[in-house]
mmCIF file of all heavy atoms in Angstrom:
data_model
loop_
_atom_site.group_PDB
_atom_site.id
_atom_site.type_symbol
_atom_site.label_atom_id
_atom_site.label_comp_id
_atom_site.label_asym_id
_atom_site.label_seq_id
_atom_site.Cartn_x
_atom_site.Cartn_y
_atom_site.Cartn_z
ATOM 1 N N LEU A 177 83.673 191.832 -2.168
ATOM 2 C CA LEU A 177 83.697 193.269 -2.425
ATOM 3 C C LEU A 177 84.728 193.979 -1.556
ATOM 4 O O LEU A 177 85.433 194.885 -2.003
ATOM 5 C CB LEU A 177 82.298 193.842 -2.168
ATOM 6 C CG LEU A 177 82.107 195.330 -2.379
ATOM 7 C CD1 LEU A 177 82.122 195.665 -3.853
ATOM 8 C CD2 LEU A 177 80.791 195.794 -1.748
ATOM 9 N N ARG A 178 84.827 193.575 -0.298
ATOM 10 C CA ARG A 178 85.777 194.177 0.646
ATOM 11 C C ARG A 178 87.043 193.333 0.734
ATOM 12 O O ARG A 178 87.535 193.014 1.811
ATOM 13 C CB ARG A 178 85.130 194.303 2.023
ATOM 14 C CG ARG A 178 83.912 195.208 2.045
ATOM 15 C CD ARG A 178 84.291 196.639 1.769
ATOM 16 N NE ARG A 178 83.169 197.567 1.913
ATOM 17 C CZ ARG A 178 83.238 198.858 1.680
ATOM 18 N NH1 ARG A 178 84.382 199.384 1.265
ATOM 19 N NH2 ARG A 178 82.190 199.646 1.828
ATOM 20 N N SER A 179 87.573 192.948 -0.385
ATOM 21 C CA SER A 179 88.685 192.008 -0.476
ATOM 22 C C SER A 179 89.893 192.443 0.353
ATOM 23 O O SER A 179 90.443 193.534 0.170
ATOM 24 C CB SER A 179 89.104 191.876 -1.950
ATOM 25 O OG SER A 179 90.325 191.186 -2.068
ATOM 26 N N THR A 180 90.313 191.546 1.250
ATOM 27 C CA THR A 180 91.540 191.771 2.011
ATOM 28 C C THR A 180 92.754 191.739 1.087
ATOM 29 O O THR A 180 93.678 192.546 1.224
ATOM 30 C CB THR A 180 91.692 190.708 3.106
ATOM 31 O OG1 THR A 180 90.621 190.838 4.039
ATOM 32 C CG2 THR A 180 93.010 190.854 3.846
ATOM 33 N N VAL A 181 92.754 190.816 0.153
ATOM 34 C CA VAL A 181 93.889 190.704 -0.770
ATOM 35 C C VAL A 181 94.017 191.960 -1.610
ATOM 36 O O VAL A 181 95.123 192.473 -1.820
ATOM 37 C CB VAL A 181 93.746 189.449 -1.654
ATOM 38 C CG1 VAL A 181 94.861 189.407 -2.703
ATOM 39 C CG2 VAL A 181 93.764 188.189 -0.805
ATOM 40 N N ARG A 182 92.906 192.490 -2.092
ATOM 41 C CA ARG A 182 92.971 193.719 -2.890
ATOM 42 C C ARG A 182 93.549 194.864 -2.057
ATOM 43 O O ARG A 182 94.367 195.653 -2.535
ATOM 44 C CB ARG A 182 91.581 194.091 -3.414
ATOM 45 C CG ARG A 182 91.614 195.203 -4.455
ATOM 46 C CD ARG A 182 90.227 195.541 -4.996
ATOM 47 N NE ARG A 182 89.385 196.113 -3.967
ATOM 48 C CZ ARG A 182 88.191 195.657 -3.630
ATOM 49 N NH1 ARG A 182 87.681 194.597 -4.246
ATOM 50 N NH2 ARG A 182 87.487 196.223 -2.683
ATOM 51 N N ARG A 183 93.162 194.925 -0.801
ATOM 52 C CA ARG A 183 93.678 195.990 0.065
ATOM 53 C C ARG A 183 95.171 195.828 0.314
ATOM 54 O O ARG A 183 95.918 196.814 0.324
ATOM 55 C CB ARG A 183 92.911 195.975 1.399
ATOM 56 C CG ARG A 183 93.441 196.962 2.435
ATOM 57 C CD ARG A 183 92.560 196.972 3.664
ATOM 58 N NE ARG A 183 92.376 195.655 4.228
ATOM 59 C CZ ARG A 183 93.265 195.052 5.035
ATOM 60 N NH1 ARG A 183 94.407 195.658 5.337
ATOM 61 N NH2 ARG A 183 93.007 193.857 5.537
ATOM 62 N N LEU A 184 95.634 194.590 0.486
ATOM 63 C CA LEU A 184 97.042 194.356 0.799
ATOM 64 C C LEU A 184 97.950 194.489 -0.419
ATOM 65 O O LEU A 184 99.062 195.020 -0.328
ATOM 66 C CB LEU A 184 97.212 192.955 1.411
ATOM 67 C CG LEU A 184 96.624 192.731 2.801
ATOM 68 C CD1 LEU A 184 96.736 191.258 3.185
ATOM 69 C CD2 LEU A 184 97.312 193.601 3.840
ATOM 70 N N VAL A 185 97.491 194.009 -1.562
ATOM 71 C CA VAL A 185 98.355 193.939 -2.752
ATOM 72 C C VAL A 185 98.119 195.098 -3.714
ATOM 73 O O VAL A 185 99.037 195.515 -4.431
ATOM 74 C CB VAL A 185 98.156 192.587 -3.477
ATOM 75 C CG1 VAL A 185 99.035 192.483 -4.712
ATOM 76 C CG2 VAL A 185 98.443 191.434 -2.523
ATOM 77 N N PHE A 186 96.908 195.634 -3.744
ATOM 78 C CA PHE A 186 96.553 196.685 -4.701
ATOM 79 C C PHE A 186 96.041 197.925 -3.953
ATOM 80 O O PHE A 186 94.909 198.359 -4.176
ATOM 81 C CB PHE A 186 95.456 196.197 -5.650
ATOM 82 C CG PHE A 186 95.736 194.899 -6.363
ATOM 83 C CD1 PHE A 186 95.475 193.676 -5.749
ATOM 84 C CD2 PHE A 186 96.222 194.894 -7.665
ATOM 85 C CE1 PHE A 186 95.712 192.475 -6.410
ATOM 86 C CE2 PHE A 186 96.448 193.702 -8.332
ATOM 87 C CZ PHE A 186 96.204 192.493 -7.700
ATOM 88 N N PRO A 187 96.828 198.500 -3.058
ATOM 89 C CA PRO A 187 96.322 199.627 -2.259
ATOM 90 C C PRO A 187 95.967 200.856 -3.078
ATOM 91 O O PRO A 187 95.246 201.740 -2.598
ATOM 92 C CB PRO A 187 97.480 199.914 -1.287
ATOM 93 C CG PRO A 187 98.698 199.400 -1.987
ATOM 94 C CD PRO A 187 98.241 198.196 -2.755
ATOM 95 N N ASP A 188 96.449 200.931 -4.312
ATOM 96 C CA ASP A 188 96.190 202.097 -5.150
ATOM 97 C C ASP A 188 94.867 202.001 -5.906
ATOM 98 O O ASP A 188 94.420 202.992 -6.489
ATOM 99 C CB ASP A 188 97.325 202.267 -6.160
ATOM 100 C CG ASP A 188 97.491 201.036 -7.062
ATOM 101 O OD1 ASP A 188 97.514 199.904 -6.510
ATOM 102 O OD2 ASP A 188 97.600 201.188 -8.290
ATOM 103 N N LEU A 189 94.245 200.831 -5.914
ATOM 104 C CA LEU A 189 93.012 200.670 -6.684
ATOM 105 C C LEU A 189 91.846 201.355 -5.977
ATOM 106 O O LEU A 189 91.818 201.467 -4.758
ATOM 107 C CB LEU A 189 92.697 199.183 -6.889
ATOM 108 C CG LEU A 189 93.663 198.411 -7.775
ATOM 109 C CD1 LEU A 189 93.175 196.979 -7.952
ATOM 110 C CD2 LEU A 189 93.833 199.078 -9.138
ATOM 111 N N PRO A 190 90.844 201.816 -6.748
ATOM 112 C CA PRO A 190 89.702 202.501 -6.135
ATOM 113 C C PRO A 190 88.883 201.576 -5.241
ATOM 114 O O PRO A 190 88.841 200.358 -5.456
ATOM 115 C CB PRO A 190 88.882 202.969 -7.339
ATOM 116 C CG PRO A 190 89.301 202.087 -8.469
ATOM 117 C CD PRO A 190 90.741 201.756 -8.219
ATOM 118 N N GLU A 191 88.252 202.182 -4.236
ATOM 119 C CA GLU A 191 87.408 201.442 -3.307
ATOM 120 C C GLU A 191 85.959 201.446 -3.794
ATOM 121 O O GLU A 191 85.561 202.320 -4.581
ATOM 122 C CB GLU A 191 87.486 202.078 -1.919
ATOM 123 C CG GLU A 191 88.827 201.908 -1.229
ATOM 124 C CD GLU A 191 89.103 200.451 -0.863
ATOM 125 O OE1 GLU A 191 88.203 199.791 -0.334
ATOM 126 O OE2 GLU A 191 90.217 199.977 -1.134
ATOM 127 N N PRO A 192 85.148 200.488 -3.329
ATOM 128 C CA PRO A 192 83.715 200.508 -3.668
ATOM 129 C C PRO A 192 83.060 201.802 -3.198
ATOM 130 O O PRO A 192 83.443 202.379 -2.179
ATOM 131 C CB PRO A 192 83.159 199.301 -2.909
ATOM 132 C CG PRO A 192 84.334 198.420 -2.653
ATOM 133 C CD PRO A 192 85.507 199.333 -2.496
ATOM 134 N N VAL A 193 82.058 202.247 -3.942
ATOM 135 C CA VAL A 193 81.359 203.498 -3.651
ATOM 136 C C VAL A 193 79.895 203.176 -3.349
ATOM 137 O O VAL A 193 79.240 202.451 -4.108
ATOM 138 C CB VAL A 193 81.457 204.467 -4.846
ATOM 139 C CG1 VAL A 193 80.684 205.753 -4.562
ATOM 140 C CG2 VAL A 193 82.915 204.771 -5.168
ATOM 141 N N TYR A 194 79.383 203.708 -2.269
ATOM 142 C CA TYR A 194 77.983 203.487 -1.912
ATOM 143 C C TYR A 194 77.066 204.074 -2.983
ATOM 144 O O TYR A 194 77.232 205.219 -3.408
ATOM 145 C CB TYR A 194 77.698 204.112 -0.547
ATOM 146 C CG TYR A 194 76.252 204.030 -0.115
ATOM 147 C CD1 TYR A 194 75.591 202.796 -0.068
ATOM 148 C CD2 TYR A 194 75.550 205.172 0.242
ATOM 149 C CE1 TYR A 194 74.262 202.725 0.319
ATOM 150 C CE2 TYR A 194 74.234 205.101 0.642
ATOM 151 C CZ TYR A 194 73.586 203.877 0.677
ATOM 152 O OH TYR A 194 72.268 203.801 1.064
ATOM 153 N N SER A 195 76.084 203.285 -3.413
ATOM 154 C CA SER A 195 75.217 203.668 -4.527
ATOM 155 C C SER A 195 74.046 204.541 -4.128
ATOM 156 O O SER A 195 73.340 205.072 -4.998
ATOM 157 C CB SER A 195 74.665 202.400 -5.200
ATOM 158 O OG SER A 195 73.730 201.753 -4.335
ATOM 159 N N GLY A 196 73.800 204.668 -2.827
ATOM 160 C CA GLY A 196 72.627 205.407 -2.374
ATOM 161 C C GLY A 196 71.425 204.530 -2.124
ATOM 162 O O GLY A 196 70.359 205.021 -1.741
ATOM 163 N N LEU A 197 71.582 203.208 -2.340
ATOM 164 C CA LEU A 197 70.496 202.260 -2.115
ATOM 165 C C LEU A 197 70.900 201.244 -1.050
ATOM 166 O O LEU A 197 72.055 200.849 -0.966
ATOM 167 C CB LEU A 197 70.143 201.516 -3.402
ATOM 168 C CG LEU A 197 69.581 202.349 -4.563
ATOM 169 C CD1 LEU A 197 69.499 201.500 -5.824
ATOM 170 C CD2 LEU A 197 68.199 202.904 -4.215
ATOM 171 N N VAL A 198 69.922 200.820 -0.255
ATOM 172 C CA VAL A 198 70.160 199.776 0.736
ATOM 173 C C VAL A 198 69.051 198.734 0.593
ATOM 174 O O VAL A 198 67.908 199.055 0.240
ATOM 175 C CB VAL A 198 70.179 200.358 2.167
ATOM 176 C CG1 VAL A 198 68.854 201.019 2.527
ATOM 177 C CG2 VAL A 198 70.534 199.292 3.195
ATOM 178 N N GLY A 199 69.394 197.475 0.818
ATOM 179 C CA GLY A 199 68.432 196.396 0.647
ATOM 180 C C GLY A 199 68.234 195.585 1.912
ATOM 181 O O GLY A 199 69.056 195.583 2.826
ATOM 182 N N ASN A 200 67.109 194.899 1.958
ATOM 183 C CA ASN A 200 66.788 193.929 2.994
ATOM 184 C C ASN A 200 66.211 192.706 2.308
ATOM 185 O O ASN A 200 65.865 192.738 1.124
ATOM 186 C CB ASN A 200 65.749 194.483 3.976
ATOM 187 C CG ASN A 200 66.216 195.729 4.683
ATOM 188 O OD1 ASN A 200 66.970 195.664 5.632
ATOM 189 N ND2 ASN A 200 65.772 196.896 4.197
ATOM 190 N N GLY A 201 66.063 191.637 3.050
ATOM 191 C CA GLY A 201 65.448 190.461 2.458
ATOM 192 C C GLY A 201 65.488 189.295 3.397
ATOM 193 O O GLY A 201 66.143 189.320 4.444
ATOM 194 N N GLY A 202 64.756 188.248 3.015
ATOM 195 C CA GLY A 202 64.742 187.053 3.843
ATOM 196 C C GLY A 202 63.739 186.038 3.329
ATOM 197 O O GLY A 202 63.173 186.171 2.238
ATOM 198 N N VAL A 203 63.533 185.042 4.148
ATOM 199 C CA VAL A 203 62.613 183.948 3.841
ATOM 200 C C VAL A 203 61.688 183.800 5.039
ATOM 201 O O VAL A 203 62.150 183.654 6.176
ATOM 202 C CB VAL A 203 63.375 182.630 3.595
ATOM 203 C CG1 VAL A 203 62.402 181.512 3.239
ATOM 204 C CG2 VAL A 203 64.412 182.807 2.492
ATOM 205 N N ILE A 204 60.376 183.859 4.812
ATOM 206 C CA ILE A 204 59.434 183.827 5.930
ATOM 207 C C ILE A 204 58.156 183.110 5.516
ATOM 208 O O ILE A 204 57.719 183.207 4.363
ATOM 209 C CB ILE A 204 59.114 185.264 6.412
ATOM 210 C CG1 ILE A 204 58.262 185.228 7.681
ATOM 211 C CG2 ILE A 204 58.462 186.092 5.317
ATOM 212 C CD1 ILE A 204 58.133 186.585 8.368
ATOM 213 N N ASP A 205 57.557 182.379 6.443
ATOM 214 C CA ASP A 205 56.270 181.716 6.195
ATOM 215 C C ASP A 205 55.143 182.711 6.379
ATOM 216 O O ASP A 205 54.985 183.308 7.456
ATOM 217 C CB ASP A 205 56.086 180.540 7.158
ATOM 218 C CG ASP A 205 56.920 179.334 6.776
ATOM 219 O OD1 ASP A 205 56.792 178.873 5.629
ATOM 220 O OD2 ASP A 205 57.706 178.861 7.609
ATOM 221 N N VAL A 206 54.353 182.903 5.333
ATOM 222 C CA VAL A 206 53.139 183.729 5.397
ATOM 223 C C VAL A 206 52.059 182.930 4.663
ATOM 224 O O VAL A 206 51.852 183.110 3.457
ATOM 225 C CB VAL A 206 53.351 185.116 4.759
ATOM 226 C CG1 VAL A 206 52.174 186.033 5.089
ATOM 227 C CG2 VAL A 206 54.656 185.761 5.216
ATOM 228 N N PRO A 207 51.384 182.014 5.362
ATOM 229 C CA PRO A 207 50.471 181.060 4.692
ATOM 230 C C PRO A 207 49.383 181.720 3.863
ATOM 231 O O PRO A 207 48.947 181.168 2.843
ATOM 232 C CB PRO A 207 49.883 180.275 5.872
ATOM 233 C CG PRO A 207 50.903 180.382 6.959
ATOM 234 C CD PRO A 207 51.486 181.757 6.805
ATOM 235 N N GLU A 208 48.912 182.905 4.275
ATOM 236 C CA GLU A 208 47.794 183.520 3.566
ATOM 237 C C GLU A 208 48.197 184.150 2.238
ATOM 238 O O GLU A 208 47.328 184.552 1.447
ATOM 239 C CB GLU A 208 47.115 184.573 4.450
ATOM 240 C CG GLU A 208 48.017 185.705 4.903
ATOM 241 C CD GLU A 208 48.728 185.432 6.229
ATOM 242 O OE1 GLU A 208 48.968 184.243 6.539
ATOM 243 O OE2 GLU A 208 49.050 186.406 6.931
ATOM 244 N N VAL A 209 49.475 184.247 1.961
ATOM 245 C CA VAL A 209 49.930 184.790 0.682
ATOM 246 C C VAL A 209 49.893 183.675 -0.366
ATOM 247 O O VAL A 209 50.494 182.616 -0.169
ATOM 248 C CB VAL A 209 51.358 185.362 0.801
ATOM 249 C CG1 VAL A 209 51.908 185.736 -0.574
ATOM 250 C CG2 VAL A 209 51.368 186.578 1.722
ATOM 251 N N PRO A 210 49.192 183.869 -1.471
ATOM 252 C CA PRO A 210 49.118 182.811 -2.490
ATOM 253 C C PRO A 210 50.429 182.629 -3.241
ATOM 254 O O PRO A 210 51.263 183.529 -3.306
ATOM 255 C CB PRO A 210 48.007 183.296 -3.423
ATOM 256 C CG PRO A 210 47.976 184.773 -3.244
ATOM 257 C CD PRO A 210 48.370 185.037 -1.822
ATOM 258 N N ALA A 211 50.610 181.445 -3.805
ATOM 259 C CA ALA A 211 51.798 181.152 -4.607
ATOM 260 C C ALA A 211 51.839 182.068 -5.823
ATOM 261 O O ALA A 211 50.803 182.476 -6.357
ATOM 262 C CB ALA A 211 51.789 179.696 -5.039
ATOM 263 N N THR A 212 53.030 182.353 -6.275
ATOM 264 C CA THR A 212 53.197 183.232 -7.440
ATOM 265 C C THR A 212 53.419 182.444 -8.726
ATOM 266 O O THR A 212 53.645 183.034 -9.783
ATOM 267 C CB THR A 212 54.363 184.203 -7.228
ATOM 268 O OG1 THR A 212 55.579 183.463 -7.112
ATOM 269 C CG2 THR A 212 54.153 185.047 -5.973
ATOM 270 N N ASN A 213 53.387 181.114 -8.635
ATOM 271 C CA ASN A 213 53.501 180.249 -9.812
ATOM 272 C C ASN A 213 54.763 180.526 -10.622
ATOM 273 O O ASN A 213 54.743 180.605 -11.852
ATOM 274 C CB ASN A 213 52.259 180.403 -10.703
ATOM 275 C CG ASN A 213 50.990 180.028 -9.966
ATOM 276 O OD1 ASN A 213 50.946 179.010 -9.262
ATOM 277 N ND2 ASN A 213 49.961 180.847 -10.081
#
């Protein structure tokens, strides 16, 4: 998304725009949570 090549070769092209949303995520052991099948 933050391409160095795009910045160097295509400086006139539009930049990414923040959508107003931010995300988080990961992988964690929580034994008491049942499988979702």
Side-chain angles (χ1 to χ4, degrees):
L177 180 72
R178 298 293 186 182
S179 169
T180 296
V181 175
R182 191 179 66 234
R183 175 175 54 81
L184 291 173
V185 180
F186 307 84
D188 59 312
L189 293 183
E191 291 293 315
V193 178
Y194 176 55
S195 70
L197 296 171
V198 61
N200 300 280
V203 182
I204 187 169
D205 284 305
V206 191
E208 59 270 28
V209 172
T212 63
N213 300 316

